[in-house]
Each structure stands twice: as structure tokens, then as C-alpha cells.
Amino acid sequence: MSDEKKTVLSMRHINKTFPGVKALSDAQLTLREGEIHALMGENGAGKSTLGNVIMGNSQYKVDRGSIFFEDEDITSARTDERAQKGLFLSFQSPIEIPGVSISQFIRTAMETKEKIRLKTFRDKLKTVTKTLGINEQWINRELNVGFSGGERKKIEMLQLLMLNPKLAILDETDSGLDVDAVKTVSRGIQTFQQDDQKSLLIITHNSKILEYLHIDYVHILINGKIIKTGDASLIKIINEQGYEPLITGQGE
Ligand code: ADP
Ligand code: MG
């Protein structure tokens, strides 16, 4: 029964204000083991803020409310502490580190958790690149060379499968991904999810990627408020009619 599933993440009454903007207003969310949740909403709704609040990025300290990860209060934990506990947030903005290759970057990220032998790392990287359909040579590319939106998504999926967190938060870039990138992302997510103890929060304002996945719950965020939580049928409504029907049906 679903009641017996372990709660992985619980956000309670989260409020976050920026000068002139209430980015999150009493946001509540509970995510259990093995579940995929989608957080949807228009631009500026507060989606990325919610992701950043969960990760504890420095500009996103909450004004009020608490966040629990596996029953532990992480509201004041540092980002690296949260990562060590098994949280992962994909990078929405370009990462540019001169002189560092993609593979070095990923290895460094992995080693913040535990030392990993080069051979073990290389073997794992080989398996993961193969799964994702990524050219093995490509990962030696420097992180300071301009990456396209689609390429960035590939790096994220590489990181996801290499770091193998308990809960991954994937914040979609607003730029439309090409078919190739959408395939890499869905392949990455499906592989990650084969382990039924892994959970995902997919943040998106367009739902292309959601069509390829089995989504357990959909949360609709409007003006910093989660106005509705439902099953995957909400995706269809948004695809066909936009957010308007959900806003007007809010008080029912
Ligand atoms: P979404 O990801 O849904 O498009 P965001 O969470 O990025 O929305 O933004 C929600 C609101 O919070 C916006 O009005 C945005 O300008 C504001 N905001 C987000 N991050 C910051 C920040 N670091 N500093 C100031 N305002 C911010
Ligand atoms: Mg955003």
C-alpha cells in the first residue's frame, strides 16, 4: 500500500519572499520513495525557487516553514550537506569551468561523497555513456566551451546517473530541447528510476518530456502557490487548455 512507502521529502508551509515578489507562499509538498512528481507552472510561478529552496542554495533561505529529508530537518543544512544526504538538483544555468573536462567535473562531484578509484570511475562512465547514447570522446570536452541547451541536458543526465542520488530535482530549461536531447533525458530518467527506491521531482513549464514518463503526481504552481495536486491527467488538461481552467476552478 502506498501508505507504507517511506517519505523522502516533505516541505511544510514554505514561504520565500524576494524584494517585491512573494516567490513561494505556504508551499507544501510530500514525496515518497519511488515516486515521480511533476511541478508545473508558467514562467515566474516560483518553480526554480522551489527547487533551489530544497537544495538550500544560499540566496534561497526560507522566510518560514521547514523541509524534511528522510525525517531529518534539513531546513538550515548547507547545500553540500544536502547533496551528501542524497539530494541532487540539475544545473539550469551554464556551468563554465576553464581547463576542466566534463569527466573531471563529474569525478570531483562524486568524490565529495567518497573516494572513487580511477578504474571504477572509468568503467562506470563507460556504462553510463553507453546507456545514454553519448559519445565517449565527448566527455573529455572542456566545460568552458559553449554548450547548447541540449548538450547541457546530456551533462545533467550523465551527472544524475553517475552520482545516483536518492532524490533528483530536474529543472528544465525554458529553451525548447531538440528531439535528440529529449530522448537522452527520458532515457536517463528511465534508467535512474529502474531502482524503485529513487524519487524524482521534474520541474517544467512545457510538458513534452512528461509524455515519455510515468508521472505519479502533478503539482500546479501559480504565483508561488501550489493550487492543485493531482494525477497525470492534469498534464493533458494543461496541454490542451493551458493553466486557465485550473486557475478558475481553484475555489471548488
Ligand atoms: P519559474 O522558475 O517558475 O519561472 P522563479 O522561481 O525563477 O520562477 O521565479 C519566481 C519569482 O521569484 C520571479 O518573480 C523571480 O524574479 C523571483 N526570483 C527568483 N529568484 C530570485 C533571486 N535569486 N533574486 C530575486 N528574485 C528572484
Ligand atoms: Mg525556472
Side-chain angles (χ1 to χ4, degrees):
M1 254 172 69
S2 61
D3 284 356
E4 288 162 18
K5 274 192 283 181
K6 204 160 102 186
T7 297
V8 175
L9 181 86
S10 146
M11 290 181 86
R12 299 176 194 168
H13 307 289
I14 293 291
N15 285 272
K16 176 66 191 168
T17 308
F18 293 110
V21 189
K22 183 128 207 203
L24 288 176
S25 178
D26 208 35
Q28 307 232 49
L29 197 135
T30 302
L31 208 146
R32 286 169 298 186
E33 210 168 68
E35 291 178 348
I36 301 196
H37 290 224
L39 177 70
M40 301 182 74
E42 292 172 311
N43 279 326
K47 304 183 298 298
S48 295
T49 300
L50 191 138
N52 281 306
V53 157
I54 298 172
M55 274 321 286
N57 288 342
S58 57
Q59 291 159 27
Y60 294 86
K61 293 211 163 62
V62 300
D63 306 330
R64 200 150 57 79
S66 50
I67 306 164
F68 285 78
F69 183 68
E70 298 191 313
D71 295 329
E72 197 180 338
D73 189 339
I74 58 159
T75 318
S76 339
R78 291 194 317 265
T79 300
D80 60 317
E81 291 168 339
R82 298 183 199 209
Q84 275 188 14
K85 289 182 202 298
L87 272 162
F88 170 93
L89 173 66
S90 71
F91 295 90
Q92 194 172 15
S93 46
I95 337 144
E96 303 203 346
I97 311 175
V100 173
S101 69
I102 298 168
S103 87
Q104 282 171 311
F105 175 74
I106 292 175
R107 188 165 178 218
T108 306
M110 289 172 80
E111 292 214 314
T112 59
K113 261 168 127 182
E114 58 186 337
K115 275 261 169 279
I116 178 164
R117 289 179 53 214
L118 187 58
K119 165 103 172 56
T120 314
F121 175 75
R122 285 205 178 126
D123 288 348
K124 194 166 179 189
L125 202 55
K126 207 179 182 114
T127 313
V128 170
T129 45
K130 205 168 162 201
T131 306
L132 292 174
I134 291 172
N135 185 324
E136 252 193 276
Q137 297 308 310
W138 185 73
I139 58 173
N140 295 317
R141 201 174 136 175
E142 271 187 292
L143 272 170
N144 67 336
V145 188
F147 282 104
S148 71
E151 287 173 331
R152 252 181 259 139
K153 282 288 144 190
K154 289 186 179 183
I155 300 174
E156 282 171 18
M157 288 303 117
L158 257 178
Q159 281 185 286
L160 173 67
L161 297 186
M162 293 297 287
L163 288 165
N164 202 22
K166 286 179 195 161
L167 167 63
I169 304 163
L170 305 180
D171 194 351
E172 290 299 310
T173 47
D174 290 345
S175 58
L177 295 178
D178 58 22
V179 180
D180 184 45
V182 169
K183 274 195 191 136
T184 307
V185 172
S186 43
R187 222 182 277 159
I189 292 173
Q190 277 158 2
T191 308
F192 175 69
Q193 233 225 335
Q194 274 165 12
D195 178 343
D196 60 13
Q197 293 182 337
K198 304 292 178 178
S199 314
L200 266 168
L201 177 63
I202 301 174
I203 300 176
T204 178
H205 86 289
N206 83 15
S207 52
K208 189 88 203 125
I209 194 76
L210 303 180
E211 291 169 15
Y212 294 81
L213 303 164
H214 174 85
I215 307 290
D216 297 299
Y217 293 98
V218 179
H219 309 275
I220 310 292
L221 190 66
I222 292 177
N223 291 331
K225 278 202 175 90
I226 296 179
I227 59 139
K228 201 175 185 79
T229 292
D231 62 21
S233 63
L234 283 175
I235 300 165
K236 195 161 177 272
I237 297 175
I238 292 162
N239 275 350
E240 289 169 5
Q241 303 169 60
Y243 290 95
E244 205 57 41
L246 300 166
I247 302 170
T248 46
Q250 198 180 339
E252 65 190 40

